[in-house]
């Protein structure tokens, strides 16, 4: 028999715990004016949501255990990698304008809390059910999607890190390994993992509110495509390498997110790239100070 707290689906208690978790680290970040705990707090929040709902419901069905383990593996890897990276960098320039600006910092941490909660809707939905439909095709397909996604994200991060420490990787963009077929293999992996988790939970959604879990991958994709992640990464790369014709050739020949053979990608019509490959015009925009430097 599960322990009911606030509501039978654990939405309220999960929201409160995630809010408290982010609030603690917000106080640390603001008090000491550093960024070393920010991504760690965000990354570990997903493990907290998964483990909390599993332990409160106490049903421990195979689907729930697998879902919880997959979320926690992804969460631990992401949080660990981001913590290692920020310790190596010293500080994150994303926070240069908000580190000492309290209203902006509050807005950022509030959004991070929402990121934790909304993206965790899938695992909350699965872990809060009291029924145990048999493992089926949707589960297997979802788990395979998660495995493919984890490979792309983990391997992509390692390949870029190794590329950047080599002499030939200094001052240039990464086009080695998976980065030869997509400019953002790590984000492609993240998309695949969370769509996979959503698919893997389909058997328990039924005619209930649990279909709201689709917000999990959609919200994640929206953030990475338009707010942070890909948008900021493309803007930064355009600023660094925008004066080099070879860079724009790489962008033209290499898919933004979905892995695709270089030679074929360059021949795809622009409209098809926008619809199926998320190749939006905003990713080719130069910073104001760099206008006019883009090579055709």
């Amino acid at each position: 028999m599960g322990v009911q707290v606030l509501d039978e689906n654990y939405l309220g208690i999960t929201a409160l715990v995630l809010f408290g978790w982010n609030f603690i680290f917000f106080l640390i970040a603001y008090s000491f004016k550093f960024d070393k705990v920010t991504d760690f707090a965000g990354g570990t929040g997903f493990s907290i949501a998964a483990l909390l709902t599993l332990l409160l419901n106490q049903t421990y069905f195979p689907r729930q255990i697998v879902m919880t383990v997959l979320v926690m593996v992804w969460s631990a890897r992401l949080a660990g990698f981001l913590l290692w990276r920020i310790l190596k960098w010293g500080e994150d320039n994303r926070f240069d304008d908000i580190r000492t600006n309290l209203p902006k910092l509050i807005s950022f941490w509030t959004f991070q809390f929402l990121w934790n909660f909304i993206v965790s809707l899938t695992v909350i939905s699965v872990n809060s059910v009291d029924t145990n439909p048999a493992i089926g095709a949707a589960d297997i397909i979802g788990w395979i999607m998660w495995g493919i996604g984890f490979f792309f994200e983990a391997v992509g991060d390692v390949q870029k890190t190794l590329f950047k420490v080599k002499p030939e990787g200094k001052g240039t963009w990464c086009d080695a390994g998976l980065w030869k077929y997509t400019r953002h293999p790590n984000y492609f992996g993240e998309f695949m993992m969370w769509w996979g988790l959503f698919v893997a939970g389909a058997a328990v959604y039924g005619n209930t509110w649990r279909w709201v879990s689709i917000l999990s991958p959609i919200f994640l994709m929206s953030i990475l495509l338009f707010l942070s992640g890909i948008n900021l990464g493309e803007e930064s790369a355009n600023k660094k390498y925008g004066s080099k014709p070879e860079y724009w050739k790489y962008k033209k020949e290499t898919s933004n997110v979905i892995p695709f053979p270089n030679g074929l990608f360059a021949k795809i019509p622009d409209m098809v790239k926008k619809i199926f490959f998320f190749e939006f015009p905003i990713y080719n925009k130069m910073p104001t100070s760099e206008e006019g430097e883009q090579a055709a």
Side-chain angles (χ1 to χ4, degrees):
M1 180 67 181
V3 179
Q4 287 196 17
V5 183
L6 297 183
D7 64 89
E8 63 181 6
N9 298 305
Y10 308 116
L11 293 168
I13 186 59
T14 303
L16 284 176
V17 170
L18 289 176
F19 180 84
W21 180 252
N22 280 279
F23 183 70
I24 290 171
F25 283 97
F26 156 74
L27 292 177
I28 296 172
Y30 182 69
S31 299
F32 296 97
K33 303 296 186 294
F34 69 1
D35 320 316
K36 294 179 176 61
V37 298
T38 304
D39 286 331
F40 175 79
T44 52
F46 301 99
S47 285
I48 291 174
L51 192 59
L52 175 68
T53 50
L54 180 72
L55 295 178
L56 285 176
N57 203 33
Q58 299 179 13
T59 45
Y60 306 115
F61 298 137
R63 179 180 290 104
Q64 296 172 333
I65 294 173
V66 172
M67 177 79 73
T68 300
V69 169
L70 294 183
V71 170
M72 292 184 70
V73 167
W74 169 79
S75 171
R77 192 215 70 86
L78 179 67
F81 174 76
L82 295 177
L83 179 62
W84 170 82
R85 189 177 67 176
I86 191 61
L87 290 175
K88 182 179 179 182
W89 286 356
E91 64 178 27
D92 191 335
N93 58 19
R94 292 177 302 167
F95 298 98
D96 288 347
D97 295 332
I98 68 174
R99 196 174 290 115
T100 58
N101 187 313
L102 184 56
K104 289 185 177 180
L105 200 62
I106 290 175
S107 297
F108 171 85
W109 281 91
T110 301
F111 191 81
Q112 179 156 285
F113 151 69
L114 292 174
W115 172 55
N116 276 165
F117 180 70
I118 295 175
V119 176
S120 293
L121 284 173
T122 295
V123 70
I124 296 171
S125 298
V126 170
N127 283 353
S128 62
V129 297
D130 295 321
T131 57
N132 186 28
I135 299 297
D139 298 275
I140 304 302
I141 292 171
W143 297 340
I144 292 173
M145 290 173 64
W146 184 93
I148 294 171
F150 188 80
F151 170 82
F152 269 86
E153 183 178 57
V155 173
D157 281 340
V158 171
Q159 287 178 337
K160 185 174 183 178
T161 300
L162 294 177
F163 178 82
K164 287 296 184 180
V165 299
K166 295 179 180 179
E168 59 269 27
K170 302 294 184 181
T172 188
W173 57 94
C174 179
D175 58 359
L178 298 176
W179 300 80
K180 182 178 180 180
Y181 305 102
T182 164
R183 303 200 302 273
H184 301 283
N186 49 343
Y187 295 132
F188 167 73
E190 206 154 330
F191 294 171
M192 283 289 289
M193 279 187 282
W194 284 98
W195 276 110
L197 292 175
F198 169 74
V199 170
V204 306
Y205 300 153
N207 296 317
T208 69
W209 67 270
R210 299 179 199 281
W211 283 102
V212 77
S213 299
I214 198 172
L215 292 177
S216 170
I218 290 176
F219 187 73
L220 179 79
M221 287 185 67
S222 299
I223 292 174
L224 293 180
L225 285 171
F226 303 113
L227 295 180
S228 65
I230 294 172
N231 192 29
L232 292 182
E234 292 286 307
E235 181 181 343
S236 176
N238 291 349
K239 183 177 181 180
K240 291 178 182 177
Y241 316 122
S243 61
K244 300 179 180 181
E246 297 86 355
Y247 168 71
W248 295 100
K249 181 175 183 293
Y250 167 72
K251 289 194 68 169
K252 183 178 180 180
E253 296 179 347
T254 309
S255 170
N256 182 28
V257 182
I258 311 298
F260 205 80
N262 300 68
L264 296 178
F265 183 76
K267 300 176 182 179
I268 296 176
D270 289 342
M271 185 57 66
V272 175
K273 291 181 180 179
K274 291 178 184 178
I275 296 174
F276 296 103
F277 293 89
F278 310 107
E279 191 68 65
F280 303 126
I282 58 173
Y283 301 142
N284 292 320
K285 183 179 180 181
M286 293 289 294
T288 304
S289 60
E290 301 282 338
E291 291 289 353
E293 293 185 16
Q294 177 176 340

